[in-house]
Structures are given as C-alpha cells and as structure tokens.
Amino acid sequence: MKKIVECVPNFSEGRNPETIEAIAQAIRETPDCRLLDVDPGASTNRTVYTFVGSPEAVVEGALAAARVARKRIDMRSHKGEHPRFGAMDVCPFIPVVGVTMEECVAIAKDFGRRAAEELQVPFFLYEEAAGHDYRRKLPDVRAGEYEGLAARLDDPRWSPDFGPAEFVPSWGATATGARKFLIAYNVNILGTSNQAHRIALNLREAGRGEDEPGRLKDVKGMGWYVDEYNLAQVTVNLNDYTVTPIHVLYEEVKKDAADLNVGVAGSEIVGVVPLEAILMAAEYYIEKENLFILDEDQKVRLAVERLGLNSVAPFHPEEKIVDYIVAEPPDEPLASLPVRGFIEEVASRSSAPGGGSVSALLAALGTGLGSMVGKLTFGVRKFEDLDAKMREIIPPLHTLSKELIPMIDADTNAFTEYMEGLRMPRDTEEQRADRSTKMQTGLKTAIRVPLKTMQLGDEAWEAMCEVARYGNPASKSDVQVGARALETGIWGAYQNVLINMGGIRDEAFKKEILAEAEGMMDRAKKKCAEVLAILDERG
C-alpha cells in the first residue's frame, strides 16, 4: 500500500499574492508532492496550504516552502486577526493512508531538525511529537504570540526543540508536530465579531476558563469579522471530528445564534476534509429529516447543502474531500470494460476472464435487478404504503450489487499466487517444500475468491424474496431474471470452488469450505424457487 502523509503548513502572509504563489510553487515543484489547496485570508493575513505525498516527499515540500518564507516574509511588519508567532507559523503532519501516527512524529522531528539547522530559526514540537505535556497544545506553545516570543525564549522551559534559543525578529518561531486530521471550520454569522466570539466561547472546550468550560470537546475557537465576506464567523478547529463532528458544531452555533437573534448564513471548510466527516453529517440529516438516500454523491450533496458549504465560495467535492483527491482508479480492468468489450474478452482465445468472473457478474446483475425493482416501487404514489418496506429491502440489494462488482476482477487475479508458486525452483528438498507451500496457499486463495462471491450472493436472498412479494408487479419479469441470474452466479462460483478443491491437501480446510459452499448452493436453489413461486402467486 502506498504511504500518503498530509502536511498543512500555515504561513503568516495572506495579502501578498506574489509571496502566496511563490510558496505554492515551491510545493508544486517538489517531486511526489501534490498541492491540494491554498486558502489565503486577508483579514487573518494568513495562508493555509494543504499538500500530500510520501513521507520523504512531504518533508522536502515543507522545507522548500519554508525556504521561500524565510526570504519573503518579515514578521516585524505582520498584523492579522489570527494568533501567530512565526513566518511559517505551524507545520503539522497527518497520517492519511498506510502511515501511523508514530511515523508522522518521526517525520515532524526530521523536518524540524533539518529546517532549524538550515534556516537558523527556532522550532518547537507540539501535539503527538511534543517531548513535554505542557507543550502538546498549540495555544500553549504559541502563548504571547510573536510579540512575546523574545521574553519566552529566555525561559529555559521554553527552549526550542531545534534551532537557536534566541529571537529571530524576521521569522519568529515555528511549531511542527503530528496530529489527527484537524478540520478548520468556520460558521458564518450575520452579526458582529463580538457576537461570534460569544458563541465560540460557549462552544469551545476551554470555554471562558476553568470555571466556565464550553459545551463541545476537542474544539478550539474564537469569533472574528471577515471584511472580504462582510460577515462575522465562529472560527474553530475540530481537533477530532469523531468526537465533535462538523454537523454538531454547526447545529450548536445555530442554537446560540438564535438565542442572540443573529442569523446564520452557511459555513466553510478551510483546506480539505475527510469524506467520513461529510458522510457523518449526511447521515445525521438523513435521520433527522427521515430521508432515504443511498448513493454517496447524493449524501455528499445533502451535507453540502445543509451545512451551507457553498455560502462564501463554491464547494467542489473533488477538490475539497481528501479521499477523492488522493484516490487512485480501482484496479478493475474487466469490470471497467464496456459490456461489448467484456463479452468479446470472454469470447477470446484466453482462459481469463472465465466462468468465475462471469459468475460474479451474473450475481451482481441479479442483485442489481432486485435493487432496481425496489427503487421503481419506492416513491410511486400508488405504492406509498410500501415505502417503509422498500426502505428495508433496497439498501442490502443496492450495497451487494456494488460489492459483487470487484469480484469480477478478483476471480481473474485469484490464481496469481498459485502461478508464482508454480514458477518457484524445485532443485532441492527445501525448494520443493517451499514451492508446495506457496502453491497450496495459492489454491486456497483461488477457492476463497469464488466462495466470497457465493457469500455475497447468499446475503441477497431475503431481500429478493421481499422484493418479489412487495415490488411493483409491472416488474415481475425483472425479478424473475434477477433471481435466476443470482442463482446461476452462485452456482457458477460453487463450481469454481469445487474445481480448485481437488489439489488441496488440508482436509480440515476442505471439509469446512465444502460444508459452507454446499449449504449456500442448497439455499440458492430453494430461495430462487421461493422467489419464482411468490411471483407466480401474485399473478
């Protein structure tokens, strides 16, 4: 699995377009770094950059950006709404794919050490990379901001982790570390900065102090006025969106704004956001409003609309949701073929794709037809009394049809491990033993793949019976074809299990798999007959 790390450096410059672009270009030009977002703010006089890459690449990208900032940003003349203490104010590293938090801690330390040595400026470690508990929280590290930094550096407790323990007026200091995915989120208020700040104090975890904590955990926040938007904002960092999700923060702001007779005009996400956070919001509004939405793109659209994420700038999911940005096309060459291409490939002078891939396709088509009939029944006026039933029937068929699609290619790839074993040397006894072990493991893989197709198909039968019983009667033939296709897909996968079982020496494995497969095959025959009987009874 490819390792992907996110880096979100914040620079104390949001008004000079040449400097903002120069930093962005330094990141773009770093090999294996992908710049995802540049978010400047004139009022805050701060720009947030978001980029991803391999562990090695993000360190190089952050160094390249810091070099530009060292030349172009002078903190002696900096003013802005946002707390800050350095030209590169903060530079966190976040695990995205295939990377642990411990690895990101090592990355942050490597970056901090190298940047401090090269630029001769102080660097502090914070969050997961902090060496002391009192340095974990960024507000504690940045307390006193740039103006108080000279005095703070004289305190031995605040000696930097890397670089000189002396004030560098043009730079200040930088905090670098490793953290969970932080969501920078602003809710727009049609009121004053004071009103926005009052709401932020009510909600942020620190509240107004130890004696008056806020209502929401893992939230940092304040209120400010954004001149370019001509509105105030409750601006927060959601340090752990699984503890306090976006929608919870938004709804709580709405409550407090209503108490103050202040309007809320949507919100904005600064930088990028995990898909999970958006889908959590969608599921909240789906449940709250008793909606029925299955497709991911529609869930995303619902969340965007309910949270007002288009209010101050367009929210393009493909540019703002990190999962979409870093996603690579699925390795499904067969499933991605047009229908004609797939059939021609099956009909060609080649053993693959063969019966296993066709069986997976048939099973997917069977569940797909069941899903289709459910959707053609749901929401139709004369079948409104069945809407609750369709809400139960459709989701499993919808999901299973999608989960069966990858099995088309998985079956073709199932023999890779076996073929690798077949090609292994067999000159010595040890080599022959290793070869045999590899081939046996490969055969088990080749059995488990069609077995998985059977298992997925087997999960669909109850919903297929229900769609036969309650579905739109005009779609009777579609359910009939769906049931036969599903049964045939399961039967075909079963034959692939059997044909590969002959070479298995592990009798316990053989007994267990055959018992499960035979049970599913028997159930497929009975359930298909049940579906057809139900349809015949309905006429």
Side-chain angles (χ1 to χ4, degrees), residues 502-520:
I504 293 292
R505 298 172 187 165
D506 185 341
E507 292 300 324
F509 173 85
K510 185 183 296 187
K511 183 178 179 180
E512 178 186 350
I513 297 299
L514 284 175
E516 182 181 1
E518 288 165 2
M520 289 188 287

Side-chain angles (χ1 to χ4, degrees), residues 226-242:
V226 183
D227 292 330
E228 56 262 45
Y229 297 163
N230 192 29
L231 47 75
Q233 288 185 325
V234 176
T235 179
V236 303
N237 284 340
L238 302 176
N239 291 338
D240 189 339
Y241 66 86
T242 64

